[in-house]
Amino acid sequence: MKIERDFSLRGNPVLRHALITAGSKGLGKKVSEMLLEKGCSVSINFRSDMDAVEKLKKDWGHYGEDRLHFFQGDVTKKNDMERFVTEAVNKFGRIDYLINNAGPYIFERKKLADYTEDEWYEMLEGNLSSVFHLFRHAIPIMRQQKFGRIVTYGFQGAESSPGWIYRSAFAASKVGLVSLTKTISIEEAENGITANMICPGDIVGEMKEADIAYSRGIADVQTPVGRSGTGEDIARAIMFLCDENSDMITGTVLEVTGGVDVINRYR
Protein backbone atom coordinates (compact mmCIF):
# COMPACT_ATOMS: atom_id res chain seq x y z
CA MET A 1 0.00 0.00 0.00
CA LYS A 2 1.44 3.38 -1.03
CA ILE A 3 -0.34 6.58 -0.05
CA GLU A 4 1.20 9.94 -0.95
CA ARG A 5 0.21 12.84 1.29
CA ASP A 6 1.57 16.21 2.35
CA PHE A 7 1.92 15.93 6.12
CA SER A 8 3.48 19.35 6.73
CA LEU A 9 1.72 21.56 9.26
CA ARG A 10 1.96 24.62 6.94
CA GLY A 11 1.95 26.81 10.05
CA ASN A 12 -1.55 25.74 11.03
CA PRO A 13 -2.79 23.63 13.96
CA VAL A 14 -3.39 20.01 12.96
CA LEU A 15 -6.74 18.33 13.46
CA ARG A 16 -5.60 15.03 14.90
CA HIS A 17 -7.13 11.90 13.41
CA ALA A 18 -7.63 8.62 15.29
CA LEU A 19 -8.19 5.06 14.12
CA ILE A 20 -9.89 2.81 16.63
CA THR A 21 -10.92 -0.82 16.22
CA ALA A 22 -14.23 -1.97 17.75
CA GLY A 23 -14.99 1.65 18.55
CA SER A 24 -18.78 1.58 18.25
CA LYS A 25 -19.65 0.00 21.60
CA GLY A 26 -18.20 -1.14 24.92
CA LEU A 27 -14.87 0.33 26.01
CA GLY A 28 -14.19 1.47 22.47
CA LYS A 29 -17.31 3.60 22.38
CA LYS A 30 -16.18 5.66 25.37
CA VAL A 31 -12.74 6.11 23.81
CA SER A 32 -14.28 7.23 20.50
CA GLU A 33 -16.58 9.60 22.35
CA MET A 34 -13.76 11.24 24.28
CA LEU A 35 -11.61 11.59 21.14
CA LEU A 36 -14.48 13.43 19.44
CA GLU A 37 -15.02 15.62 22.51
CA LYS A 38 -11.33 16.56 22.43
CA GLY A 39 -11.67 17.77 18.85
CA CYS A 40 -10.27 14.79 16.92
CA SER A 41 -11.70 13.23 13.81
CA VAL A 42 -12.23 9.50 14.26
CA SER A 43 -12.34 6.42 12.02
CA ILE A 44 -14.21 3.64 13.78
CA ASN A 45 -13.97 0.00 12.78
CA PHE A 46 -16.88 -2.32 13.59
CA ARG A 47 -17.55 -5.91 12.59
CA SER A 48 -21.31 -6.44 12.25
CA ASP A 49 -23.55 -4.44 14.62
CA MET A 50 -25.17 -1.99 12.21
CA ASP A 51 -27.82 -1.03 14.79
CA ALA A 52 -25.13 0.31 17.13
CA VAL A 53 -23.54 2.26 14.28
CA GLU A 54 -26.83 3.78 13.15
CA LYS A 55 -27.53 4.90 16.71
CA LEU A 56 -24.10 6.54 16.95
CA LYS A 57 -24.60 8.32 13.65
CA LYS A 58 -27.69 9.94 15.19
CA ASP A 59 -26.18 10.58 18.63
CA TRP A 60 -22.95 11.99 17.19
CA GLY A 61 -24.42 13.56 14.08
CA HIS A 62 -23.58 17.06 15.32
CA TYR A 63 -19.89 16.31 14.75
CA GLY A 64 -20.52 16.06 11.01
CA GLU A 65 -19.19 13.72 8.34
CA ASP A 66 -15.91 15.63 8.31
CA ARG A 67 -15.15 14.32 11.82
CA LEU A 68 -16.60 10.80 11.78
CA HIS A 69 -15.97 7.73 9.63
CA PHE A 70 -17.32 4.20 10.12
CA PHE A 71 -15.68 1.17 8.51
CA GLN A 72 -17.12 -2.36 8.57
CA GLY A 73 -14.42 -5.01 8.74
CA ASP A 74 -13.03 -7.95 10.68
CA VAL A 75 -9.78 -7.39 12.59
CA THR A 76 -8.78 -11.01 11.96
CA LYS A 77 -8.70 -10.37 8.19
CA LYS A 78 -5.56 -8.54 7.05
CA ASN A 79 -7.17 -7.22 3.87
CA ASP A 80 -9.90 -5.56 5.92
CA MET A 81 -7.31 -3.81 8.09
CA GLU A 82 -5.41 -2.58 5.03
CA ARG A 83 -8.62 -1.17 3.58
CA PHE A 84 -9.44 0.45 6.92
CA VAL A 85 -6.16 2.37 6.94
CA THR A 86 -6.44 3.28 3.25
CA GLU A 87 -10.00 4.62 3.59
CA ALA A 88 -9.09 6.66 6.67
CA VAL A 89 -6.04 8.27 5.08
CA ASN A 90 -7.89 8.98 1.84
CA LYS A 91 -10.65 10.71 3.81
CA PHE A 92 -8.66 12.55 6.50
CA GLY A 93 -5.13 12.72 5.11
CA ARG A 94 -3.34 11.46 8.22
CA ILE A 95 -3.27 9.01 11.15
CA ASP A 96 -2.17 10.40 14.50
CA TYR A 97 -3.59 7.90 16.98
CA LEU A 98 -3.95 4.15 16.48
CA ILE A 99 -6.08 2.62 19.24
CA ASN A 100 -6.14 -1.19 19.07
CA ASN A 101 -9.29 -1.69 21.12
CA ALA A 102 -10.62 -4.84 19.41
CA GLY A 103 -9.67 -8.28 20.63
CA PRO A 104 -11.70 -11.51 20.65
CA TYR A 105 -12.17 -13.30 23.95
CA ILE A 106 -13.56 -16.73 24.83
CA PHE A 107 -15.79 -16.43 27.89
CA GLU A 108 -16.16 -20.18 28.42
CA ARG A 109 -13.66 -21.38 31.01
CA LYS A 110 -11.66 -24.17 29.39
CA LYS A 111 -8.15 -25.54 29.61
CA LEU A 112 -5.67 -25.26 26.75
CA ALA A 113 -5.99 -28.91 25.71
CA ASP A 114 -9.74 -28.41 25.28
CA TYR A 115 -9.44 -25.52 22.81
CA THR A 116 -10.22 -26.19 19.16
CA GLU A 117 -7.73 -25.11 16.50
CA ASP A 118 -10.20 -22.48 15.30
CA GLU A 119 -10.47 -21.01 18.79
CA TRP A 120 -6.69 -20.92 19.19
CA TYR A 121 -6.11 -19.16 15.88
CA GLU A 122 -8.98 -16.74 16.47
CA MET A 123 -7.25 -15.59 19.67
CA LEU A 124 -3.88 -15.22 17.97
CA GLU A 125 -5.18 -13.55 14.81
CA GLY A 126 -7.58 -11.23 16.60
CA ASN A 127 -5.31 -10.15 19.45
CA LEU A 128 -1.81 -10.24 17.93
CA SER A 129 -1.69 -10.61 14.14
CA SER A 130 -4.39 -7.98 13.63
CA VAL A 131 -2.21 -5.44 15.44
CA PHE A 132 0.74 -6.34 13.22
CA HIS A 133 -1.33 -5.68 10.10
CA LEU A 134 -2.46 -2.29 11.41
CA PHE A 135 1.08 -1.38 12.50
CA ARG A 136 2.45 -2.30 9.10
CA HIS A 137 0.12 0.07 7.27
CA ALA A 138 -0.26 2.90 9.80
CA ILE A 139 3.36 3.36 10.90
CA PRO A 140 4.65 4.51 7.48
CA ILE A 141 2.03 7.29 7.59
CA MET A 142 3.12 8.28 11.11
CA ARG A 143 6.75 8.29 10.01
CA GLN A 144 5.98 10.85 7.32
CA GLN A 145 4.18 12.99 9.90
CA LYS A 146 6.98 12.61 12.45
CA PHE A 147 4.22 12.02 14.98
CA GLY A 148 2.16 9.07 16.17
CA ARG A 149 0.58 7.60 19.26
CA ILE A 150 -0.11 3.85 19.37
CA VAL A 151 -2.08 2.18 22.16
CA THR A 152 -2.60 -1.57 22.53
CA TYR A 153 -4.65 -3.44 25.15
CA GLY A 154 -3.42 -6.12 27.55
CA PHE A 155 -4.52 -7.60 30.84
CA GLN A 156 -3.45 -7.27 34.47
CA GLY A 157 0.06 -8.68 34.91
CA ALA A 158 0.66 -9.20 31.17
CA GLU A 159 4.09 -7.57 31.38
CA SER A 160 5.37 -10.34 33.66
CA SER A 161 3.98 -13.18 31.48
CA PRO A 162 1.80 -14.82 34.15
CA GLY A 163 -0.10 -18.04 33.65
CA TRP A 164 -3.84 -17.40 33.43
CA ILE A 165 -5.92 -20.49 34.00
CA TYR A 166 -8.79 -20.99 31.50
CA ARG A 167 -7.53 -18.05 29.41
CA SER A 168 -4.41 -19.61 27.87
CA ALA A 169 -4.83 -18.55 24.23
CA PHE A 170 -5.94 -15.02 25.05
CA ALA A 171 -3.12 -14.59 27.57
CA ALA A 172 -0.48 -15.96 25.20
CA SER A 173 -1.50 -13.54 22.44
CA LYS A 174 -1.55 -10.55 24.79
CA VAL A 175 1.83 -11.40 26.32
CA GLY A 176 3.21 -11.51 22.78
CA LEU A 177 1.61 -8.11 22.20
CA VAL A 178 3.49 -6.69 25.20
CA SER A 179 6.79 -7.51 23.51
CA LEU A 180 5.57 -6.23 20.14
CA THR A 181 4.43 -2.94 21.68
CA LYS A 182 7.74 -2.45 23.50
CA THR A 183 9.74 -3.27 20.37
CA ILE A 184 7.79 -0.78 18.26
CA SER A 185 8.34 1.88 20.94
CA ILE A 186 12.09 1.48 20.52
CA GLU A 187 12.13 1.13 16.75
CA GLU A 188 9.94 4.16 16.09
CA ALA A 189 11.05 6.57 18.83
CA GLU A 190 13.24 8.46 16.36
CA ASN A 191 10.15 9.15 14.26
CA GLY A 192 8.16 10.82 17.03
CA ILE A 193 5.99 7.72 17.52
CA THR A 194 5.17 6.31 20.95
CA ALA A 195 3.67 2.88 21.70
CA ASN A 196 2.12 1.93 25.02
CA MET A 197 -0.24 -0.70 26.41
CA ILE A 198 -3.34 -0.18 28.59
CA CYS A 199 -4.47 -3.05 30.81
CA PRO A 200 -8.11 -2.68 31.93
CA GLY A 201 -9.35 -4.32 35.10
CA ASP A 202 -12.60 -6.22 35.48
CA ILE A 203 -14.91 -3.89 33.53
CA VAL A 204 -18.06 -5.71 32.45
CA GLY A 205 -21.63 -5.11 31.31
CA GLU A 206 -22.96 -1.56 31.41
CA MET A 207 -19.77 -0.32 33.05
CA LYS A 208 -17.95 -0.57 29.72
CA GLU A 209 -19.90 2.45 28.48
CA ALA A 210 -20.41 4.11 31.88
CA ASP A 211 -19.01 7.32 33.33
CA ILE A 212 -16.88 7.51 36.46
CA ALA A 213 -19.56 9.53 38.29
CA TYR A 214 -22.09 6.74 37.72
CA SER A 215 -19.65 4.11 38.97
CA ARG A 216 -18.97 6.02 42.18
CA GLY A 217 -22.64 5.69 43.09
CA ILE A 218 -22.46 1.87 43.10
CA ALA A 219 -20.39 0.07 45.73
CA ASP A 220 -18.14 -2.71 44.45
CA VAL A 221 -16.65 -4.85 47.22
CA GLN A 222 -14.62 -6.89 44.73
CA THR A 223 -12.50 -3.88 43.72
CA PRO A 224 -10.15 -2.41 46.35
CA VAL A 225 -10.87 1.22 45.39
CA GLY A 226 -14.54 0.54 46.11
CA ARG A 227 -16.04 1.04 42.66
CA SER A 228 -15.97 -0.69 39.30
CA GLY A 229 -13.77 0.53 36.50
CA THR A 230 -15.54 2.18 33.57
CA GLY A 231 -15.06 2.99 29.94
CA GLU A 232 -14.29 6.55 30.97
CA ASP A 233 -11.36 5.34 33.09
CA ILE A 234 -9.84 3.66 30.04
CA ALA A 235 -10.57 6.61 27.76
CA ARG A 236 -8.92 9.07 30.18
CA ALA A 237 -5.78 6.93 30.35
CA ILE A 238 -5.61 6.68 26.56
CA MET A 239 -6.07 10.42 26.11
CA PHE A 240 -3.16 11.01 28.49
CA LEU A 241 -0.91 8.69 26.46
CA CYS A 242 -1.98 10.42 23.24
CA ASP A 243 -1.20 13.92 24.50
CA GLU A 244 1.38 15.96 22.58
CA ASN A 245 3.51 16.23 25.71
CA SER A 246 3.42 12.53 26.62
CA ASP A 247 6.31 11.71 24.29
CA MET A 248 8.52 10.64 27.21
CA ILE A 249 6.07 7.85 27.97
CA THR A 250 6.66 4.99 25.55
CA GLY A 251 7.07 1.24 25.92
CA THR A 252 4.96 1.44 29.08
CA VAL A 253 2.35 -1.05 30.30
CA LEU A 254 -0.23 0.91 32.30
CA GLU A 255 -2.68 -1.02 34.47
CA VAL A 256 -6.06 0.62 35.08
CA THR A 257 -7.54 -1.91 37.49
CA GLY A 258 -8.46 -0.21 40.76
CA GLY A 259 -6.29 -2.82 42.47
CA VAL A 260 -8.48 -5.78 41.49
CA ASP A 261 -6.73 -9.13 41.01
CA VAL A 262 -8.26 -10.51 37.81
CA ILE A 263 -6.05 -13.45 36.94
CA ASN A 264 -5.93 -15.11 40.37
CA ARG A 265 -9.66 -15.27 41.01
CA TYR A 266 -9.92 -18.92 39.89
CA ARG A 267 -6.83 -20.22 41.66
Side-chain angles (χ1 to χ4, degrees), residues 48-238:
S48 59
D49 195 339
M50 287 297 304
D51 290 339
V53 170
E54 291 303 319
K55 184 177 187 306
L56 289 184
K57 286 180 178 179
K58 293 178 181 178
D59 293 345
W60 294 347
H62 57 285
Y63 291 114
E65 291 186 2
D66 59 334
R67 294 273 308 281
L68 195 55
H69 166 225
F70 290 96
F71 174 84
Q72 185 170 11
D74 188 333
V75 295
T76 67
K77 300 185 185 304
K78 64 180 181 180
N79 291 337
D80 283 2
M81 293 302 94
E82 179 177 358
R83 288 193 300 109
F84 182 34
V85 174
T86 301
E87 275 195 19
V89 176
N90 285 339
K91 182 176 177 63
F92 296 100
R94 59 188 304 114
I95 298 173
D96 298 286
Y97 312 138
L98 174 59
I99 315 299
N100 298 276
N101 174 76
Y105 184 83
I106 296 175
F107 288 91
E108 180 185 357
R109 284 186 272 166
K110 55 200 304 185
K111 295 181 178 180
L112 176 62
D114 300 320
Y115 274 70
T116 66
E117 285 191 12
D118 287 344
E119 288 172 331
W120 171 258
Y121 284 111
E122 181 187 12
M123 292 298 100
L124 289 185
E125 293 300 307
N127 290 295
L128 184 57
S129 296
S130 63
V131 178
F132 160 71
H133 297 309
L134 284 166
F135 280 6
R136 192 162 66 92
H137 297 299
I139 286 175
I141 306 301
M142 293 179 171
R143 285 174 178 168
Q144 293 181 62
Q145 299 166 175
K146 289 294 181 181
F147 179 88
R149 299 286 185 262
I150 296 171
V151 180
T152 59
Y153 281 48
F155 64 93
Q156 172 226 332
E159 189 171 18
S160 61
S161 304
W164 191 359
I165 190 171
Y166 307 130
R167 302 286 181 248
S168 54
F170 177 83
S173 61
K174 290 297 188 181
V175 167
L177 187 55
V178 172
S179 181
L180 186 62
T181 302
K182 287 177 173 286
T183 300
I184 289 296
S185 76
I186 300 167
E187 291 180 346
E188 301 302 331
E190 63 183 4
N191 295 309
I193 301 169
T194 67
N196 295 285
M197 174 177 277
I198 289 284
C199 296
D202 191 25
I203 306 175
V204 299
E206 65 175 351
M207 288 302 176
K208 290 183 178 181
E209 298 183 7
D211 298 328
I212 292 171
Y214 176 76
S215 176
R216 284 185 175 142
I218 304 173
D220 180 359
V221 297
Q222 301 299 320
T223 303
V225 299
R227 70 169 178 87
S228 169
T230 67
E232 185 183 358
D233 289 294
I234 303 306
R236 282 170 54 85
I238 288 174

